[in-house]
mmCIF file of all heavy atoms in Angstrom:
data_model
loop_
_atom_site.group_PDB
_atom_site.id
_atom_site.type_symbol
_atom_site.label_atom_id
_atom_site.label_comp_id
_atom_site.label_asym_id
_atom_site.label_seq_id
_atom_site.Cartn_x
_atom_site.Cartn_y
_atom_site.Cartn_z
ATOM 1 N N THR S 60 -9.235 -8.410 4.205
ATOM 2 C CA THR S 60 -10.609 -7.971 4.345
ATOM 3 C C THR S 60 -11.354 -8.791 5.386
ATOM 4 O O THR S 60 -12.508 -8.522 5.733
ATOM 5 C CB THR S 60 -11.387 -8.033 3.057
ATOM 6 O OG1 THR S 60 -11.462 -9.364 2.567
ATOM 7 C CG2 THR S 60 -10.713 -7.171 1.964
ATOM 8 N N ASP S 61 -10.696 -9.826 5.931
ATOM 9 C CA ASP S 61 -11.284 -10.702 6.969
ATOM 10 C C ASP S 61 -10.711 -10.290 8.318
ATOM 11 O O ASP S 61 -9.518 -10.478 8.591
ATOM 12 C CB ASP S 61 -10.897 -12.130 6.660
ATOM 13 C CG ASP S 61 -11.478 -13.137 7.679
ATOM 14 O OD1 ASP S 61 -11.959 -12.703 8.716
ATOM 15 O OD2 ASP S 61 -11.383 -14.320 7.439
ATOM 16 N N PRO S 62 -11.546 -9.739 9.255
ATOM 17 C CA PRO S 62 -11.049 -9.351 10.529
ATOM 18 C C PRO S 62 -10.301 -10.407 11.309
ATOM 19 O O PRO S 62 -9.313 -10.137 11.977
ATOM 20 C CB PRO S 62 -12.301 -8.847 11.276
ATOM 21 C CG PRO S 62 -13.246 -8.500 10.207
ATOM 22 C CD PRO S 62 -12.987 -9.462 9.069
ATOM 23 N N GLU S 63 -10.829 -11.646 11.281
ATOM 24 C CA GLU S 63 -10.168 -12.736 11.972
ATOM 25 C C GLU S 63 -8.781 -13.026 11.403
ATOM 26 O O GLU S 63 -7.852 -13.368 12.119
ATOM 27 C CB GLU S 63 -11.057 -13.968 11.894
ATOM 28 C CG GLU S 63 -12.342 -13.860 12.711
ATOM 29 C CD GLU S 63 -13.136 -15.161 12.717
ATOM 30 O OE1 GLU S 63 -12.650 -16.161 12.220
ATOM 31 O OE2 GLU S 63 -14.253 -15.126 13.265
ATOM 32 N N ALA S 64 -8.616 -12.922 10.050
ATOM 33 C CA ALA S 64 -7.343 -13.151 9.424
ATOM 34 C C ALA S 64 -6.343 -12.083 9.851
ATOM 35 O O ALA S 64 -5.166 -12.348 10.044
ATOM 36 C CB ALA S 64 -7.503 -13.179 7.920
ATOM 37 N N ILE S 65 -6.792 -10.846 10.013
ATOM 38 C CA ILE S 65 -5.912 -9.779 10.495
ATOM 39 C C ILE S 65 -5.417 -10.091 11.875
ATOM 40 O O ILE S 65 -4.204 -10.004 12.155
ATOM 41 C CB ILE S 65 -6.660 -8.387 10.485
ATOM 42 C CG1 ILE S 65 -6.883 -7.947 9.033
ATOM 43 C CG2 ILE S 65 -5.895 -7.369 11.262
ATOM 44 C CD1 ILE S 65 -7.762 -6.690 8.920
ATOM 45 N N GLU S 66 -6.291 -10.495 12.749
ATOM 46 C CA GLU S 66 -5.895 -10.823 14.109
ATOM 47 C C GLU S 66 -4.905 -12.015 14.136
ATOM 48 O O GLU S 66 -3.893 -11.948 14.861
ATOM 49 C CB GLU S 66 -7.129 -11.221 14.951
ATOM 50 C CG GLU S 66 -6.817 -11.630 16.349
ATOM 51 C CD GLU S 66 -6.060 -10.625 17.178
ATOM 52 O OE1 GLU S 66 -6.294 -9.419 16.932
ATOM 53 O OE2 GLU S 66 -5.145 -10.999 17.965
ATOM 54 N N CYS S 67 -5.162 -13.026 13.321
ATOM 55 C CA CYS S 67 -4.235 -14.142 13.224
ATOM 56 C C CYS S 67 -2.873 -13.718 12.748
ATOM 57 O O CYS S 67 -1.810 -14.208 13.222
ATOM 58 C CB CYS S 67 -4.831 -15.233 12.369
ATOM 59 S SG CYS S 67 -6.216 -16.105 13.050
ATOM 60 N N ALA S 68 -2.827 -12.854 11.747
ATOM 61 C CA ALA S 68 -1.544 -12.359 11.209
ATOM 62 C C ALA S 68 -0.704 -11.639 12.258
ATOM 63 O O ALA S 68 0.479 -11.948 12.460
ATOM 64 C CB ALA S 68 -1.736 -11.493 9.991
ATOM 65 N N PHE S 69 -1.330 -10.740 12.945
ATOM 66 C CA PHE S 69 -0.612 -10.020 14.027
ATOM 67 C C PHE S 69 -0.158 -11.022 15.141
ATOM 68 O O PHE S 69 0.937 -10.909 15.663
ATOM 69 C CB PHE S 69 -1.477 -8.907 14.614
ATOM 70 C CG PHE S 69 -1.408 -7.637 13.827
ATOM 71 C CD1 PHE S 69 -2.303 -7.372 12.810
ATOM 72 C CD2 PHE S 69 -0.415 -6.704 14.121
ATOM 73 C CE1 PHE S 69 -2.196 -6.202 12.084
ATOM 74 C CE2 PHE S 69 -0.339 -5.514 13.388
ATOM 75 C CZ PHE S 69 -1.251 -5.277 12.381
ATOM 76 N N ALA S 70 -1.078 -11.932 15.536
ATOM 77 C CA ALA S 70 -0.760 -12.887 16.557
ATOM 78 C C ALA S 70 0.469 -13.748 16.152
ATOM 79 O O ALA S 70 1.316 -14.043 16.998
ATOM 80 C CB ALA S 70 -1.974 -13.737 16.904
ATOM 81 N N ASP S 71 0.499 -14.144 14.905
ATOM 82 C CA ASP S 71 1.645 -14.966 14.401
ATOM 83 C C ASP S 71 2.947 -14.193 14.540
ATOM 84 O O ASP S 71 3.981 -14.786 14.965
ATOM 85 C CB ASP S 71 1.395 -15.357 12.947
ATOM 86 C CG ASP S 71 0.331 -16.436 12.809
ATOM 87 O OD1 ASP S 71 -0.034 -17.078 13.818
ATOM 88 O OD2 ASP S 71 -0.113 -16.712 11.647
ATOM 89 N N VAL S 72 2.941 -12.960 14.152
ATOM 90 C CA VAL S 72 4.166 -12.143 14.239
ATOM 91 C C VAL S 72 4.557 -11.933 15.704
ATOM 92 O O VAL S 72 5.733 -12.056 16.064
ATOM 93 C CB VAL S 72 3.986 -10.751 13.563
ATOM 94 C CG1 VAL S 72 5.192 -9.886 13.704
ATOM 95 C CG2 VAL S 72 3.655 -10.950 12.082
ATOM 96 N N GLU S 73 3.588 -11.671 16.533
ATOM 97 C CA GLU S 73 3.866 -11.436 17.962
ATOM 98 C C GLU S 73 4.440 -12.663 18.619
ATOM 99 O O GLU S 73 5.371 -12.603 19.466
ATOM 100 C CB GLU S 73 2.616 -10.953 18.655
ATOM 101 C CG GLU S 73 2.213 -9.547 18.239
ATOM 102 C CD GLU S 73 0.781 -9.169 18.618
ATOM 103 O OE1 GLU S 73 0.037 -10.043 19.058
ATOM 104 O OE2 GLU S 73 0.420 -7.980 18.437
ATOM 105 N N ARG S 74 3.933 -13.854 18.253
ATOM 106 C CA ARG S 74 4.429 -15.083 18.859
ATOM 107 C C ARG S 74 5.882 -15.347 18.380
ATOM 108 O O ARG S 74 6.690 -15.822 19.164
ATOM 109 C CB ARG S 74 3.564 -16.278 18.461
ATOM 110 C CG ARG S 74 2.331 -16.443 19.312
ATOM 111 C CD ARG S 74 1.673 -17.807 19.032
ATOM 112 N NE ARG S 74 1.168 -17.916 17.690
ATOM 113 C CZ ARG S 74 -0.059 -17.551 17.343
ATOM 114 N NH1 ARG S 74 -0.902 -17.106 18.251
ATOM 115 N NH2 ARG S 74 -0.441 -17.702 16.063
ATOM 116 N N ALA S 75 6.145 -15.045 17.106
ATOM 117 C CA ALA S 75 7.480 -15.335 16.571
ATOM 118 C C ALA S 75 8.522 -14.316 16.966
ATOM 119 O O ALA S 75 9.670 -14.666 17.309
ATOM 120 C CB ALA S 75 7.408 -15.428 15.073
ATOM 121 N N TRP S 76 8.137 -13.008 16.986
ATOM 122 C CA TRP S 76 9.150 -11.942 17.109
ATOM 123 C C TRP S 76 8.829 -10.929 18.158
ATOM 124 O O TRP S 76 9.724 -10.259 18.685
ATOM 125 C CB TRP S 76 9.292 -11.211 15.773
ATOM 126 C CG TRP S 76 9.863 -12.004 14.650
ATOM 127 C CD1 TRP S 76 10.593 -13.161 14.765
ATOM 128 C CD2 TRP S 76 9.741 -11.718 13.265
ATOM 129 N NE1 TRP S 76 10.955 -13.577 13.480
ATOM 130 C CE2 TRP S 76 10.469 -12.717 12.569
ATOM 131 C CE3 TRP S 76 9.150 -10.694 12.501
ATOM 132 C CZ2 TRP S 76 10.569 -12.734 11.157
ATOM 133 C CZ3 TRP S 76 9.198 -10.715 11.144
ATOM 134 C CH2 TRP S 76 9.956 -11.706 10.449
ATOM 135 N N GLY S 77 7.579 -10.725 18.450
ATOM 136 C CA GLY S 77 7.141 -9.609 19.291
ATOM 137 C C GLY S 77 6.270 -8.630 18.497
ATOM 138 O O GLY S 77 5.922 -8.846 17.355
ATOM 139 N N PRO S 78 5.850 -7.542 19.141
ATOM 140 C CA PRO S 78 4.890 -6.616 18.510
ATOM 141 C C PRO S 78 5.469 -5.990 17.215
ATOM 142 O O PRO S 78 6.658 -5.761 17.093
ATOM 143 C CB PRO S 78 4.698 -5.536 19.615
ATOM 144 C CG PRO S 78 5.071 -6.172 20.852
ATOM 145 C CD PRO S 78 6.153 -7.179 20.536
ATOM 146 N N VAL S 79 4.559 -5.783 16.299
ATOM 147 C CA VAL S 79 4.914 -5.160 15.035
ATOM 148 C C VAL S 79 5.382 -3.711 15.287
ATOM 149 O O VAL S 79 4.695 -2.941 15.999
ATOM 150 C CB VAL S 79 3.732 -5.134 14.013
ATOM 151 C CG1 VAL S 79 4.004 -4.276 12.822
ATOM 152 C CG2 VAL S 79 3.409 -6.574 13.657
ATOM 153 N N GLU S 80 6.521 -3.310 14.696
ATOM 154 C CA GLU S 80 7.012 -1.972 14.862
ATOM 155 C C GLU S 80 6.844 -1.123 13.561
ATOM 156 O O GLU S 80 6.727 0.078 13.641
ATOM 157 C CB GLU S 80 8.516 -1.985 15.213
ATOM 158 C CG GLU S 80 8.783 -2.649 16.585
ATOM 159 C CD GLU S 80 10.265 -2.899 16.755
ATOM 160 O OE1 GLU S 80 10.845 -3.783 16.078
ATOM 161 O OE2 GLU S 80 10.865 -2.222 17.634
ATOM 162 N N VAL S 81 6.864 -1.814 12.425
ATOM 163 C CA VAL S 81 6.723 -1.118 11.120
ATOM 164 C C VAL S 81 5.615 -1.876 10.393
ATOM 165 O O VAL S 81 5.670 -3.077 10.115
ATOM 166 C CB VAL S 81 8.042 -1.181 10.312
ATOM 167 C CG1 VAL S 81 7.788 -0.578 8.918
ATOM 168 C CG2 VAL S 81 9.114 -0.403 11.060
ATOM 169 N N LEU S 82 4.587 -1.082 10.025
ATOM 170 C CA LEU S 82 3.451 -1.676 9.297
ATOM 171 C C LEU S 82 3.321 -0.939 7.931
ATOM 172 O O LEU S 82 3.106 0.293 7.885
ATOM 173 C CB LEU S 82 2.162 -1.476 10.079
ATOM 174 C CG LEU S 82 0.828 -1.918 9.378
ATOM 175 C CD1 LEU S 82 0.831 -3.402 9.080
ATOM 176 C CD2 LEU S 82 -0.349 -1.556 10.282
ATOM 177 N N VAL S 83 3.437 -1.699 6.855
ATOM 178 C CA VAL S 83 3.313 -1.151 5.528
ATOM 179 C C VAL S 83 2.077 -1.731 4.891
ATOM 180 O O VAL S 83 1.986 -2.963 4.690
ATOM 181 C CB VAL S 83 4.527 -1.438 4.664
ATOM 182 C CG1 VAL S 83 4.361 -0.789 3.286
ATOM 183 C CG2 VAL S 83 5.842 -0.869 5.298
#
Side-chain angles (χ1 to χ4, degrees):
T60 64
D61 179 350
E63 292 184 5
I65 289 174
E66 177 57 36
C67 289
F69 275 91
D71 286 348
V72 177
E73 289 164 352
R74 279 193 295 269
W76 294 339
V79 171
E80 297 170 290
V81 176
L82 175 62
V83 181

